[in-house]
Amino acid sequence: MALFNRKNQPAAEAATAALPVDPALAALTGDYTIDPAHSSIGFTVRHAMVTNVRGSFGGHEGTLHLDGADPSRSTASIDVSIETIDTGIADRDGHLRSADFFDAEKFPQMTFRSTQAEQLGGDAYRITGDLTIKDVTKPLAIDLEFNGTATDPYGNERVGFEGSATILRSDWGLTWNAALETGGVMVSDKVKLTFDISAIKAAAPQA
């Protein structure tokens, strides 16, 4: 289902494709609030060159706007609380919150604001935007899969996405490390981000 604009679509094809509007797609148009109880934002990073450490941010909120008639106008906005980082080890979490890494006291939030979205084929999409960590803003492209829609037992209309992106943490000023006696470093520069998003459609305003 084409939620977003197709990448590099020829002008003539785009004009033709713009005429019919898929009723199922048009029905998705609206504003959505990310449901933090059924969503997760996580990360994976190589530790000591031999294993992976996984963690997540328990505190996050965000909104989506989906436009079925003009998919290029779809947007996403996410705010993440650094204080809620959780790798399962309290001492490690405290170090990550410290000035060595995120400096959560001074920079309490990580944010993402979309600037572009495109369809890669089928239910695969890419959303590009600005990721800000520690007051450093860099572009980030997130590859997403649209998981579909559903009405939950409480009558909420939901959409679901899952996706991932890979970054170099040093690009955002997260440069702390320690050398290993056997060579290499304690923490890799490369970090994989993962997103599992469930969002609830806002009720239509009363006439």
Side-chain angles (χ1 to χ4, degrees):
M1 185 175 291
L3 289 178
F4 305 115
N5 55 303
R6 293 180 182 273
K7 184 178 182 181
N8 299 327
Q9 188 178 38
E13 181 184 346
T16 301
L19 292 177
V21 176
D22 182 345
L25 178 60
L28 296 180
T29 297
D31 295 317
Y32 293 77
T33 300
I34 293 175
D35 176 8
H38 297 93
S39 302
S40 65
I41 297 176
F43 61 89
T44 303
V45 62
R46 185 64 58 89
H47 178 262
M49 309 294 291
V50 297
T51 191
N52 290 320
V53 168
R54 293 175 174 83
S56 62
F57 296 92
H60 54 83
E61 60 184 17
T63 58
L64 308 175
H65 176 75
L66 303 182
D67 191 324
D70 185 359
S72 67
R73 298 178 64 180
S74 297
T75 60
S77 175
I78 301 174
D79 296 327
V80 177
S81 170
I82 299 299
E83 185 65 28
T84 65
I85 195 168
D86 181 8
T87 64
I89 304 294
D91 287 346
R92 181 166 58 206
D93 295 343
H95 191 199
L96 290 169
R97 295 184 190 105
S98 76
D100 281 346
F101 284 95
F102 287 102
D103 199 355
E105 185 174 348
K106 186 175 180 181
F107 305 102
Q109 282 195 326
M110 171 172 62
T111 65
F112 177 78
R113 301 290 184 266
S114 67
T115 56
Q116 182 184 4
E118 58 195 21
Q119 183 183 23
L120 303 180
D123 287 332
Y125 299 87
R126 178 171 294 143
I127 188 163
T128 303
D130 294 325
L131 176 66
T132 300
I133 305 173
K134 297 179 70 172
D135 277 359
V136 177
T137 300
K138 300 279 187 179
L140 174 69
I142 304 171
D143 288 335
L144 293 166
E145 181 177 354
F146 176 52
N147 289 337
T149 66
T151 301
D152 68 23
Y154 305 100
N156 298 311
E157 296 181 55
R158 291 179 178 265
V159 293
F161 296 89
E162 60 182 301
S164 63
T166 299
I167 66 171
L168 298 179
R169 61 188 178 89
S170 59
D171 287 345
W172 282 267
L174 303 174
T175 57
W176 183 92
N177 229 319
L180 301 174
E181 291 185 5
T182 53
V185 292
M186 182 69 73
V187 185
S188 70
D189 193 20
K190 184 184 294 184
V191 180
K192 182 179 180 181
L193 304 175
T194 56
F195 306 85
D196 284 290
I197 301 298
S198 178
I200 298 172
K201 190 175 186 180
Q206 296 295 322

